[in-house]
Amino acid sequence: VKLVESGGGLVQPGDSLRLSCKASGTVISTNFVAWYRQAPGKEREWVATVVSGGAFAYADSVKGRFTISRDNAQNTVHLQMNSLKPEDTAVYYCHSNVRGANYWGQGTQVTVSS
């Protein structure tokens, strides 16, 4: 199983970005997929999850601004991030648990700065 994130970059406050998590070696619709982030000097924190049944959950800090979605045809999970704030700056990681084993992507950097 491999998870590969993409879509990070440098943006200004208020801008939007869409992150993608492309999975291989597993069918993404049969597992939960979560996004986490880790800012410099801070612990990794949970951002959002989509479960196999399609339900979503978000951290309070991103609720109303971020949207997680799943593209089953592309075996990819997206994280649409709107109204970005400087405090959203972090490395964003994709995570899933497949048959009892945890998998993480390599991360993609998101920097929000004026």
Side-chain angles (χ1 to χ4, degrees), residues 70-111:
R70 195 172 59 201
D71 183 340
N72 294 336
Q74 296 296 321
N75 214 32
T76 298
V77 170
H78 300 290
L79 185 68
Q80 177 67 41
M81 305 186 297
N82 298 329
S83 303
L84 283 162
K85 304 175 181 180
E87 51 263 45
D88 295 317
T89 295
V91 178
Y92 283 71
Y93 297 91
C94 181
H95 165 66
S96 189
N97 185 288
V98 180
R99 295 182 293 276
N102 285 312
Y103 296 92
W104 294 87
Q106 82 289 349
T108 186
Q109 176 70 48
V110 172
T111 302

Side-chain angles (χ1 to χ4, degrees), residues 11-47:
V11 297
Q12 295 187 339
D15 284 352
S16 298
L17 273 178
R18 190 176 81 154
L19 306 183
S20 298
C21 172
K22 174 76 171 177
S24 57
T26 185
V27 177
I28 212 163
S29 62
T30 65
N31 303 290
F32 81 86
V33 175
W35 285 96
Y36 284 76
R37 65 186 182 186
Q38 188 165 19
K42 294 188 177 181
E43 293 188 354
R44 192 171 296 189
E45 65 171 355
W46 170 71
V47 174

Side-chain angles (χ1 to χ4, degrees), residues 42-73:
K42 294 188 177 181
E43 293 188 354
R44 192 171 296 189
E45 65 171 355
W46 170 71
V47 174
T49 298
V50 56
V51 299
S52 58
F56 311 124
Y58 299 94
D60 287 344
S61 59
V62 306
K63 202 172 291 183
R65 299 188 298 122
F66 290 12
T67 302
I68 191 170
S69 62
R70 195 172 59 201
D71 183 340
N72 294 336

